[in-house]
Amino acid sequence: MEATFVLYPNMTALDFVGPYEVIGSVPVVSTRFVAATLDPVKSDNGLSVVPTDTFASLKSTDIVVVPGSSHWRELLRDSGGVVEWLREVHPTTKWTTSVCTGSTLLAEAGLVSKATTHWAAREDLSVRGVEVSDDRVVFDGKVVSGAGVSAGIDMALRLVEAEFGEMVAQAVQAGIEYDPQPPRAYDSIPPEVIDGLKAAFESRQVRPD
């Protein structure tokens, strides 16, 4: 089985690295990285990743993983070919997945009816006609979405369980020693912290003309 991770400028590194470690731990899975060109792609925090394939060369795959970005509204204005490629490849996939604001790209491509995303981007899903969930992982047919950033690990484990069974998922979880113990849920974080984060996220967005 082949899993393909979508790369584009200003993607969030953990959005694809987390699922990559989970899905890539399954021995029967081979991995690819697809982008507009074969040039290295830099994440929003500066990590560079070299693609193995381009949107023009890769026309089918079993699993697609679409990471999000802290610059998601800019990306929605010009995805650099990501949205078009997703529309093209989706009919060939067994699973089409997203992490964080990557679900807004699936929504822009018209591929999802119910999804989750980072809490700061829920409105961007809603205005695209998607039923927005605050669950950490959402299955919508063969489309699977994970909430913000670290939820990509949870999404990938749920995907491995759905595809390969509970024992395989448990083995992968034990292998990466994933035992999440977050200090608090989003809803219990002080409002002033959330307001500061929202301001930081907004400062990265490109406003419509």
Side-chain angles (χ1 to χ4, degrees), residues 4-209:
T4 298
F5 298 81
V6 180
L7 307 179
Y8 56 81
N10 288 320
M11 64 200 170
T12 297
L14 186 57
D15 284 9
F16 70 88
V17 173
Y20 171 79
E21 288 295 333
V22 172
I23 299 170
S25 294
V26 180
V28 298
V29 175
S30 60
T31 56
R32 309 187 79 86
F33 294 93
V34 67
T37 72
L38 292 177
D39 295 331
V41 181
K42 188 172 290 188
S43 76
D44 53 9
N45 283 331
L47 176 70
S48 290
V49 184
V50 179
T52 60
D53 300 272
T54 67
F55 297 145
S57 67
L58 187 64
K59 298 300 184 181
S60 66
T61 191
D62 299 306
I63 300 171
V64 167
V65 179
V66 184
S69 169
S70 59
H71 301 257
W72 72 91
R73 291 195 185 119
E74 180 179 355
L75 187 65
L76 287 168
R77 296 184 71 191
D78 181 7
S79 73
V82 173
V83 168
E84 292 77 11
W85 183 79
L86 288 172
R87 290 194 188 113
E88 184 178 9
V89 79
H90 179 66
T92 76
T93 68
K94 187 168 186 180
W95 301 100
T96 298
T97 76
S98 67
V99 181
C100 196
T101 59
S103 59
T104 65
L105 292 170
L106 298 184
E108 187 71 9
L111 305 181
V112 63
S113 59
K114 181 179 181 180
T116 187
T117 190
H118 191 285
W119 54 263
R122 289 172 183 169
E123 183 179 349
D124 295 283
L125 268 185
S126 180
V127 298
R128 286 167 173 80
V130 175
E131 179 184 347
V132 181
S133 171
D134 60 4
D135 290 344
R136 196 153 171 85
V137 179
V138 172
F139 279 73
D140 180 31
K142 72 172 187 175
V143 178
V144 191
S145 55
V149 193
S150 62
I153 298 174
D154 301 77
M155 182 280 293
L157 285 168
R158 291 278 302 277
L159 178 66
V160 167
E161 181 179 3
E163 179 62 33
F164 301 105
E166 183 178 5
M167 290 187 65
V168 174
Q170 289 175 343
V172 171
Q173 182 173 355
I176 65 172
E177 201 168 346
Y178 182 58
D179 182 21
Q181 300 178 49
R184 61 181 70 222
Y186 161 69
D187 291 337
S188 67
I189 295 174
E192 59 269 25
V193 175
I194 296 299
D195 290 343
L197 282 170
K198 285 181 177 178
F201 289 139
E202 288 296 321
S203 70
R204 299 186 183 190
Q205 307 307 316
V206 172
R207 293 298 186 184
D209 297 332

